[in-house]
Amino acid sequence: MTPPDDFDPEIGAAVALEPGLRRIVAPNPSPMTYRGTNTYLLGNTDIAVIDPGPASDAHLQAILDAVGPDQRISHIIVTHTHLDHSPLARPLANACDAPVLAFGGPSAGRSDTMTQFAATGYAGGGEGVDMDFEPDVILRDSDVISTQDWRLEVLHTPGHIGNHISLGWNDACLTADHVMGWASSLVSPPDGDLTDFMASCAKLQARPWRIFYPGHGAPVTNPADRLQWLIDHRTARETAILQALATGPKSAHALALQIYTETPPALLGAATRNVLAHLIDLMGKNLVTPNGPLSADTVFTRQT
């Protein structure tokens, strides 16, 4: 259900998406970030900058240039602490004297299981974590951020990373990296947690959203269908893992080799981390058992 590859934005340009909302795409394209990180500017007078993006002088200038003479940046909101979303928050705050708001630092919102896993020294791959990030204001689930012309509801949606939030804006939702149209969200332990990811999908499903504005790629105009596809995709992957384990105990790496048969070798590491996320989720469901302490090389046995 991945759409055609026709998202080709002008990098650095502030593009109006609907009244009160603009998007600037950062100059950081990659296999993990697609065309670049989407920075959103919400409001007409007091502007919220949502996900300022990576460390980039050019992107910082593009954001500042998008603020009109009768406007000011009043809030800087970071949806999560990956290196393609949060590093520019502090330079932007210094330039415009606005507070940085987020769910917390790099390990905020992490489950007990993933906290213990992180303590073994295992580090996930992907975009990389902004270990130096510290917000000025801590946000919590159901918090409301508002000015005279806009209102945002904070929705804690861990899964991609523990401190991930989405932002409800009327019947639209800024979903950051939890729901995107161009790819499924990366869930890489110990920062990513598939159990949390599925719960966050169900949380978003509970509302009749009109549109999603993701952290990368074009707006998602069929939110309910996209959420169901993400859930079905993960459920199918779980089934494949359990079927593979029916022939005997295996590690995440061995399972990735067996299941991701068409995956290029360069992406096998990401596939292995994805399988590991599923295995940890299946542990919580008592469907698999690790043969020893949890690690990247742990062999898992299917429960009968």
Side-chain angles (χ1 to χ4, degrees), residues 78-161:
V78 172
T79 63
H80 63 291
T81 56
H82 279 147
L83 287 172
D84 54 325
H85 287 259
S86 59
L88 201 59
R90 189 54 57 193
L92 180 60
N94 292 338
C96 65
D97 194 27
V100 176
L101 298 79
F103 192 81
S107 62
R110 183 181 279 170
S111 67
D112 290 342
T113 298
M114 292 303 175
T115 298
Q116 294 170 14
F117 190 28
T120 68
Y122 184 78
E127 302 98 321
V129 178
D130 183 359
M131 299 304 296
D132 297 325
F133 179 80
E134 292 184 11
D136 300 311
V137 178
I138 298 291
L139 299 172
R140 290 292 175 258
D141 187 50
S142 299
D143 280 355
V144 172
I145 314 164
S146 63
T147 66
Q148 289 186 341
D149 68 343
W150 55 262
R151 179 184 186 274
L152 289 171
E153 180 185 358
V154 176
L155 303 170
H156 184 213
T157 49
H160 179 62
I161 189 172

Side-chain angles (χ1 to χ4, degrees), residues 66-72:
V67 180
D70 57 345
Q71 298 175 330
R72 72 180 184 105

Side-chain angles (χ1 to χ4, degrees), residues 176-202:
D177 286 9
H178 188 77
V179 184
M180 300 176 288
W182 70 282
S184 58
S185 180
L186 175 71
V187 180
S188 179
D191 303 302
D193 187 316
L194 187 61
T195 305
D196 284 351
F197 180 84
M198 298 298 277
S200 294
C201 284

